[in-house]
Amino acid sequence: MRGLDDGEVGDGRSDGGVGAGTGAPGGPRTGAPRTAGAKAAGVTAVAGLAALGLFVAGCSTGGTGSRDEGAARADATVAGAPTPPPAVADTGAGSSKAAERVDPVALLKADPKIGARMKADLKPCAADAYPVDTSYGNLTDGAAPDVVVNVMTCGDAVGIGTYVYRKQSGGGAAASTAGYENVFMAEDAAVYGTIDRGDLVVTKQVYAEDDPVAYPSGEDVITYRWSGNRFTQHDWVHNDYSRAVGEGDGVGELSTPAPQPSATG
């Protein structure tokens, strides 16, 4: 870089070859001569200033920091997310079980505990539609869901019998009645059984002597729980119904106003 050495302020030479200093014509300069080390230091300083200028320019382009490379890659984010543990299947007593559908009418007719009269009254209401409701659920913690069968009358759908069947271990599953045992039965007027969170809830309507079928006087709600090898009563609730409902008591008929005499009469 000759400009840094020979082209600075006054090169010490004139037209007559006399130096700028006080020395003799053609003699050496009075200032200290520049060495090769000083020249290298100047070059390094200029290069450093140029690099610093580029760095400052890069940081002042509107970025938010020393690095401004845009949003992180989506695949990098997904790859860094922890993998959730696999779900563990619930195999306890409260886990769901596949309900094996059965023929409730065949169960009732093949049941030796049901009397002949009840079996004779078990007839279809129309075509092959029997007045039978069937529920499946866990009542006895057996190998398969238990079956609750409610038998009703065709005309007013009043329950006349509730039965619970439990699948016996080792029983066959080919026939609809194979392997099932009657473990509970309640044959009474206006009785109906349901499954409520592992309990058998039986509701019995209570009728007074002059109560119509549609308006009983009250009801008994009895909760049974499986204990050992049978159902035992766990809870009992009795409800009395209002006599005013459905009988029209207290509701007066609208009277027809009497005709008023004419103003001209």
Side-chain angles (χ1 to χ4, degrees):
M1 298 177 65
R2 298 181 58 85
L4 295 178
D5 185 34
D6 299 329
E8 296 216 341
V9 181
D11 57 2
R13 298 175 184 172
S14 62
D15 295 340
V18 181
T22 56
R29 301 179 182 179
T30 56
R34 298 197 177 195
T35 64
K39 182 185 295 186
V43 173
T44 303
V46 172
L49 290 175
L52 179 61
L54 291 176
F55 179 81
V56 173
C59 293
S60 61
T61 57
T64 56
S66 60
R67 298 184 62 185
D68 192 2
E69 300 178 356
R73 292 175 54 188
D75 54 353
T77 304
V78 174
T83 303
V88 179
D90 184 6
T91 57
S95 60
S96 60
K97 304 174 183 178
E100 175 190 341
R101 295 296 188 264
V102 300
D103 184 350
V105 177
L107 278 178
L108 296 172
K109 291 185 175 181
D111 189 351
K113 295 182 179 181
I114 298 179
R117 183 176 178 178
M118 176 65 74
K119 293 180 181 179
D121 292 339
L122 184 59
K123 298 178 180 180
C125 299
D128 58 349
Y130 284 83
V132 173
D133 288 346
T134 310
S135 301
Y136 300 87
N138 181 23
L139 289 173
T140 66
D141 198 22
D146 302 299
V147 184
V148 178
V149 181
N150 288 284
V151 181
M152 300 166 290
T153 60
C154 288
D156 44 24
V158 175
I160 56 177
T162 295
Y163 309 90
V164 178
Y165 292 93
R166 183 174 190 262
K167 185 69 175 290
Q168 299 299 301
S169 58
S176 59
T177 60
Y180 283 93
E181 178 188 3
N182 185 335
V183 293
F184 179 89
M185 58 186 298
E187 294 177 336
D188 202 352
V191 62
Y192 199 91
T194 59
I195 301 173
D196 184 8
R197 290 170 292 185
D199 292 336
L200 173 65
V201 180
V202 178
T203 302
K204 296 181 179 180
Q205 303 293 335
V206 177
Y207 290 90
E209 188 174 345
D210 57 346
D211 285 344
V213 175
Y215 298 101
S217 296
E219 68 176 6
D220 290 328
V221 182
I222 308 172
T223 303
Y224 295 92
R225 188 164 293 175
W226 184 257
S227 178
N229 58 354
R230 64 189 182 93
F231 284 101
T232 58
Q233 182 173 322
H234 177 70
D235 193 20
W236 172 84
V237 176
H238 176 79
N239 298 315
D240 283 328
Y241 298 152
S242 172
R243 286 284 189 176
V245 177
E247 297 185 3
D249 294 346
V251 180
E253 296 182 359
L254 296 177
S255 59
T256 303
Q260 298 296 324
S262 176
T264 60

